[in-house]
Amino acid sequence: MKNKLLTKVLAILATLAISVSTIGCGPAQTPAGCLDVFVMEAGYGYQWCDDLMQAFAKQDWVKEKYPDLTLNFQHNDNKSYVETKLKAGAKNNTFDLLFGEVVQTYLEKYAGEYLYELTDSVYSKQIPGETQTYEEKCYDSYNQSNQYPGVTTADGDPRYFIASWAGGMNGIFYNEEILIDQLGFNVPRTTDELIWQCEQILALKGNTENKYNKGFSFIQSKGLGYLQYLFPIWWGQYQSVESIYDFYKGVDDGMSGSKNIFKQEGRLHALKAYEDLFFYDYNETTKVSNAFLTPSSNTYDFMTAQSLFLKGEGVFHVNGDWYENEMKDMKADIVNEGGRVYDIKLMRTPIISAIRYKFGITDVELRATVDYVDGVTTTKPTYASYNTDLYESVDEIIDEVRVARGVVNASGPFHTAVIPTYAREKDIAADFLLFMATDVAQSIYIKSTGGSSLPFEYNLKVKDPATYNALSPMHKERHDYFNDANIDIQITPNKSSFPLVQFGGVSEFTYGDYYSVFSSSDNVDKNGNKIRTAESIYNATLDAWNDKKWTDALDKAGLR
Amino acid sequence: MKKIITLLLVFVMSFTITGCDKSASIVSSVAQSDVTIWSAPGSEKIMQDKLDIYEDIKGPAQINVYAAKGEYEGQHLILTSENKDVDNINLTASALTLVGGTETLPVDNIEIFFEKYVEVKKNYDKTDAPIGWYPDALIPMEKIVEFKENNFKAGRNQGLYIRFNVPVDQPAGTYRGVFTLSYATYTKQIPVVLEVMDLVVSQETHSRSHFIHEWQFRLGELNSTEDMLMKYVKAGLEYRISPAGLVLEDSFSDEGVAYYISRAREVMQNPKCSEVAIPLSMASSGDGSIDIATSSKVLNAFIDASLEDNFDYVAKLGCHLFDEPQLNNGLEKTKKRTATFYQMLEDAAAALEARVVDGSKEAFKQQLVKSVLSVRGAITASYEQAYDGYIRTWCPTVDYYDSAANRQKYAEEEERWYTSQGLESRRWWYTCISPRAPFPTYHTEDTLLSARALSWMQAEYGVTGNLFWATNIYANYDGSKYVNIEDFYSGDASRYIQVNGDGYLFYPGKPYGIDGPIGSLRLEAIRDGSEEYEILYELKNNYKEVSSTIGVDFDGTTAIRDLAKDIYTGTRVSTNSDSFDQARSALYNLAMMSNSNAKVSIIDAKDNLKGAIEYTVYVEKGYTVKANGIEVLPRDSYSSGNVYVIPATLDKEDNNLVLQVSNGTNTYRLVRGLGGKAYNYTVADGNFTSSFSKENATVTTAVESKNGSQMLKLTFGKTTTKSQRIKFTDDVLSNLDSTKSKLILHIYNEGSAVDFTVAFDMKRHDGYKSVIATKLNQGMNSVVISLDNANFALNGKINFAVFLLGDTNNTTVEPSRTIWLESVSVYSK
């Protein structure tokens, strides 16, 4: 008994001695040549990373450069884990590479101190076996999104400390069978067309024509968080993605430090689209909703809402391209239990109809222009009239619609990776990021995530047709969209990387829940009148940003 | 068994300690030659971890300081060791003796401090100041020795700060002595020279301030008593900063009011105290109103005390009436707060007016009535139309005084509410996280000259009051709460979000066994500035006397502007120790000349903005005046003296004016550094003819004779945009850098006045950087662009400039317009 106890004590103390010395001052436990990686689990999962690491180790150039390479890989779903580990320093963090979320917010705090610079070690390096550099192959909008805002090289070139590890797309999913087969609609091309479809769907509530008869069009989950994805798209369509960058940088019409950013009308029009689509219309007495968004949304957790949508509740649902990956087990369960699941697709986000007022054309003409841009028709649109003060030719309008059609919101700018400055294997970690830009890695990532992709130019259909053919219709369409030669995909930025947002308190509107406010019962007074409108939220923001508040924000952001 | 476990635990502990302990004591193996000893001006911050950036300011290993009587002044002595740790440091002062006399400056008037360093991990001000370890806390040398911290590591600088406190009655002259520096096993004699100027700094503080001491000092002092607060208040007064409140928690009971008054009596009778806050009780309605009845108790108690002591305490009362309403949607509360506050003052003044006092006190009573109506409720806000009529004492951040138009606005507001009523002018401003350098700040990475320049600006712009929110937050604000910090003296300089040094100027004395606060280099700079304010204040008063004697309107503001151009433009600081010292030295000489029988006064200093400056100087009769050695004849003569006009041109790389005034017995000399060379590029010489191109407006150019000169006619095409813009691309712009101070555009406008903005496109700046927004009036305009606005260190070189005409805020139809460019001038620093 005594011996057993002594053995136990010895063992505990020996462990204690090692752990204390390691935490206190000892070197990392991982051997030299070991790439130690952490992945935060999100909708895209973590399998992709494991698969990529295994493939990385098998590359000839890797074997030659790192003959003793070993791999260590960990994951969890703790969103603050990356920051905690990053700040822990070499003594308490052995990870050489961390894949996390919204890492941009660390730029101002940690660039140079904890964040290893990737400009020379990754972005300007040639991708092994290929002719392009990492920066050249990465979508321009991702490069722009991942730059350290306001901090450049002496020559004014961008500097990078983070790299994106996802490059998908967020937007409006639709139930193809209901929308097209049952209702006979096409995929909406403009917001007015989408609103019209929602009105028709509402009018068909309770019908007995074997058509979708639930009345509501949209189904979402509690808090309506995913609805936010649409706002930057509509804003960017109306005003350009560049203007969104300008907004967050405090640049108006080329002039820096200008509070005229709050006069950007794309924000107002985008908000009006929300007001028209996601309004509150519920009769407490009759318990009848005449809203396009089912009021039950506010009771669903995200898996419930997503499952219901899969089962035919709702025609539209806002989500991200990880949706299928996230729902694959649920889908199998439903089928196994004899349930019915529908084919779900992700549409190109309808063009904001307000843009036509700039053009001076009708919505029907705008829809025809979208068809032309999408290649649905080869007939060039003609307009009864258009705004010749702003546009010298019809082609200029078509080009602007084409640019608008490429505006995409994605979670990629929020899913970013960093290498700690103190990491022991910075070179291997940087080479792994470089590997992630290879064609080989693209194919692996797409397979691992069930169709999602990294933010690099890569035509799956051409380069790996077998994988393409195995994808779901939803993912095929998305890949087609991203590789459409007529469309230049532009990702809307992650606003949290901008100092004016982080420290200056600048946001699209001073009212924070603008994307969900209209659908809330709190937005209706006792007389049934709306308390807040898009216009009032826009104007309140203009009023709130007085000179004092603005210069204070610029100073806090270090932009004056 | 227990023994075994104990032994094993000991083993574990020893293993851990052996592995981790890095604080082994310093073993002295240093050779004398391993340590470099040098001096640096007290206005510099010599970083601990930067050994190779101070070559330009390094002085010999001696102390050489000049100061006025009644002034504090200091200097650094720096020890640098590249390769060896250094221990056993000490510096011992001795009394200084007047050269050619027997008078001494006692050793009690000399203090030696060991500089402690805080870490700036990020330069939030985005200046070219490096990140690293900045000196701040000044620990008395004897305490550092007592606590055995008188050492430093290899690869570092260690600063000692030597401070002289010159008594008011110290005879002027040169004092010499020798201090003894010891380190490791060596000693070195340090020669000391103190020049005491024949000039007295007023011991009464005429600028006002409101520095809050009531914050988190207890966390450092481990003492939350009223007595400890009083120690901070008194220490602040010695730095010429006046307190906000005098108690930790206001009480409006009779006992509470009596207690406050007793504290106030003690503090306000100190001439260095210029203001104390009047406690205000808020109304229970929560609508922002003050509770007039309760708050009046305190005000009336001050009135009573004043009458009783025949001392106008009320004249030193003020308050921070509302904090930053514009950031917090505080308009409605501001309306209530101001209405009730002014109601309280008016009620109290009326009651006092009606009060019957002893006849001998009637005049004092009338003074008190004015003092009551003069009590300021400063609101930290910048002028905004919505608040017009409610806020009477605007307290904007310093940057709002950058433009002449804004300065004019605040002067008009002061006139509107106070000076037009015969009440004293008291304008206020403040600093905080915002603004950032180049505006004056107390931020750690900013220069000490920045803090010092603020006082000069106050003197020039008539801003009496300076508000600062916290002197002693001994905690770290993490965005939602204050958390304790482990090391008050050597930790992270940032204790608030996105800023270094904000929220604390003092350090707790407790850890060093001192019963009260420890000062900092930043407080030294604040006091140095306040002392210079006093000299400027007296200079202005002297000039006003001369002005009234000869009937020429001037008040010293022009003279201050001329001196201060080496320090700042608008409220943007741009100086270095050399330039600042030239300005300070010139000020002291001007002050002595003004105080002398010659009553030398600078009436005007006109710059034609093309490199020619003309000084107009008054001198009493009986003196000859020489400029750069050449006698100048008077232009105008008055019964008391003459007015001389002295021209100077900026045609050399370094331009100086030496003004000498002498009557054979006494000679006064002023050396003015006028700055570097001015360059003029004219259209007549063929410049700029192909420098303009379209931006959003078309532009046509033609050289024409206009207003007597060859000018470039610039015709902007009509636009329907926010302003109409053209590009100006020229080597004159791309060659500009931080060695240049001003870019001046000489433009003729034939039409009516039009808004004119100039912006730079710079290598590392997002968007165009607006550098001036002004109006082109009809006729000839010289548009002066301070190049401090460009921040070359951060933004890189200028690619091109953009000229904007018309409304930059709204899209409007901008008609075709024409302006003429005559020339461009560039001034060097």
Side-chain angles (χ1 to χ4, degrees), chain B residues 734-745:
Chain B
S734 53
N735 289 335
L736 293 175
D737 58 24
S738 56
T739 65
K740 304 293 186 293
S741 61
K742 276 186 282 204
L743 174 75
I744 303 143
L745 307 170

mmCIF file of all heavy atoms in Angstrom, chain B residues 734-745:
data_model
loop_
_atom_site.group_PDB
_atom_site.id
_atom_site.type_symbol
_atom_site.label_atom_id
_atom_site.label_comp_id
_atom_site.label_asym_id
_atom_site.label_seq_id
_atom_site.Cartn_x
_atom_site.Cartn_y
_atom_site.Cartn_z
ATOM 1 N N SER B 734 6.660 67.449 -54.808
ATOM 2 C CA SER B 734 7.266 66.148 -54.497
ATOM 3 C C SER B 734 8.577 66.302 -53.734
ATOM 4 O O SER B 734 9.034 65.355 -53.103
ATOM 5 C CB SER B 734 7.451 65.324 -55.772
ATOM 6 O OG SER B 734 8.149 66.069 -56.726
ATOM 7 N N ASN B 735 9.175 67.482 -53.783
ATOM 8 C CA ASN B 735 10.416 67.699 -53.029
ATOM 9 C C ASN B 735 10.162 68.151 -51.587
ATOM 10 O O ASN B 735 11.104 68.309 -50.819
ATOM 11 C CB ASN B 735 11.297 68.736 -53.735
ATOM 12 C CG ASN B 735 11.888 68.163 -55.015
ATOM 13 O OD1 ASN B 735 12.043 66.955 -55.138
ATOM 14 N ND2 ASN B 735 12.182 69.016 -55.971
ATOM 15 N N LEU B 736 8.931 68.380 -51.254
ATOM 16 C CA LEU B 736 8.639 68.820 -49.884
ATOM 17 C C LEU B 736 8.889 67.676 -48.899
ATOM 18 O O LEU B 736 8.592 66.522 -49.203
ATOM 19 C CB LEU B 736 7.186 69.277 -49.758
ATOM 20 C CG LEU B 736 6.804 70.541 -50.531
ATOM 21 C CD1 LEU B 736 5.308 70.803 -50.409
ATOM 22 C CD2 LEU B 736 7.597 71.744 -50.039
ATOM 23 N N ASP B 737 9.426 68.009 -47.766
ATOM 24 C CA ASP B 737 9.621 67.006 -46.719
ATOM 25 C C ASP B 737 9.596 67.695 -45.358
ATOM 26 O O ASP B 737 9.258 68.881 -45.276
ATOM 27 C CB ASP B 737 10.929 66.226 -46.933
ATOM 28 C CG ASP B 737 12.149 67.142 -46.966
ATOM 29 O OD1 ASP B 737 12.077 68.252 -46.387
ATOM 30 O OD2 ASP B 737 13.162 66.756 -47.567
ATOM 31 N N SER B 738 9.968 66.968 -44.332
ATOM 32 C CA SER B 738 9.826 67.514 -42.975
ATOM 33 C C SER B 738 10.826 68.626 -42.666
ATOM 34 O O SER B 738 10.773 69.213 -41.583
ATOM 35 C CB SER B 738 9.941 66.391 -41.944
ATOM 36 O OG SER B 738 11.159 65.719 -42.146
ATOM 37 N N THR B 739 11.743 68.924 -43.582
ATOM 38 C CA THR B 739 12.644 70.060 -43.348
ATOM 39 C C THR B 739 11.980 71.373 -43.757
ATOM 40 O O THR B 739 12.524 72.446 -43.532
ATOM 41 C CB THR B 739 13.965 69.922 -44.140
ATOM 42 O OG1 THR B 739 13.664 69.971 -45.547
ATOM 43 C CG2 THR B 739 14.679 68.623 -43.815
ATOM 44 N N LYS B 740 10.805 71.278 -44.385
ATOM 45 C CA LYS B 740 10.100 72.487 -44.826
ATOM 46 C C LYS B 740 8.926 72.754 -43.873
ATOM 47 O O LYS B 740 8.310 71.827 -43.359
ATOM 48 C CB LYS B 740 9.567 72.298 -46.257
ATOM 49 C CG LYS B 740 10.649 71.922 -47.270
ATOM 50 C CD LYS B 740 11.625 73.061 -47.484
ATOM 51 C CE LYS B 740 12.632 72.812 -48.583
ATOM 52 N NZ LYS B 740 13.596 71.735 -48.282
ATOM 53 N N SER B 741 8.647 74.024 -43.697
ATOM 54 C CA SER B 741 7.596 74.355 -42.729
ATOM 55 C C SER B 741 6.287 74.796 -43.373
ATOM 56 O O SER B 741 5.217 74.520 -42.851
ATOM 57 C CB SER B 741 8.079 75.444 -41.769
ATOM 58 O OG SER B 741 8.388 76.617 -42.491
ATOM 59 N N LYS B 742 6.390 75.534 -44.476
ATOM 60 C CA LYS B 742 5.168 76.109 -45.055
ATOM 61 C C LYS B 742 5.186 76.046 -46.566
ATOM 62 O O LYS B 742 6.239 76.220 -47.185
ATOM 63 C CB LYS B 742 5.063 77.592 -44.656
ATOM 64 C CG LYS B 742 4.455 77.832 -43.312
ATOM 65 C CD LYS B 742 4.247 79.308 -43.042
ATOM 66 C CE LYS B 742 5.521 80.006 -42.653
ATOM 67 N NZ LYS B 742 5.390 81.215 -41.880
ATOM 68 N N LEU B 743 4.028 75.838 -47.121
ATOM 69 C CA LEU B 743 3.827 75.973 -48.560
ATOM 70 C C LEU B 743 2.809 77.091 -48.726
ATOM 71 O O LEU B 743 1.746 77.061 -48.098
ATOM 72 C CB LEU B 743 3.276 74.664 -49.129
ATOM 73 C CG LEU B 743 2.862 74.675 -50.595
ATOM 74 C CD1 LEU B 743 4.090 74.657 -51.502
ATOM 75 C CD2 LEU B 743 1.997 73.451 -50.928
ATOM 76 N N ILE B 744 3.152 78.083 -49.538
ATOM 77 C CA ILE B 744 2.252 79.230 -49.673
ATOM 78 C C ILE B 744 1.870 79.397 -51.137
ATOM 79 O O ILE B 744 2.736 79.465 -52.021
ATOM 80 C CB ILE B 744 2.925 80.512 -49.141
ATOM 81 C CG1 ILE B 744 3.343 80.289 -47.676
ATOM 82 C CG2 ILE B 744 1.992 81.703 -49.239
ATOM 83 C CD1 ILE B 744 4.642 80.939 -47.319
ATOM 84 N N LEU B 745 0.570 79.434 -51.372
ATOM 85 C CA LEU B 745 0.068 79.614 -52.741
ATOM 86 C C LEU B 745 -0.398 81.061 -52.874
ATOM 87 O O LEU B 745 -1.243 81.512 -52.093
ATOM 88 C CB LEU B 745 -1.108 78.667 -52.997
ATOM 89 C CG LEU B 745 -0.855 77.182 -52.701
ATOM 90 C CD1 LEU B 745 -2.166 76.405 -52.757
ATOM 91 C CD2 LEU B 745 0.136 76.595 -53.691
#
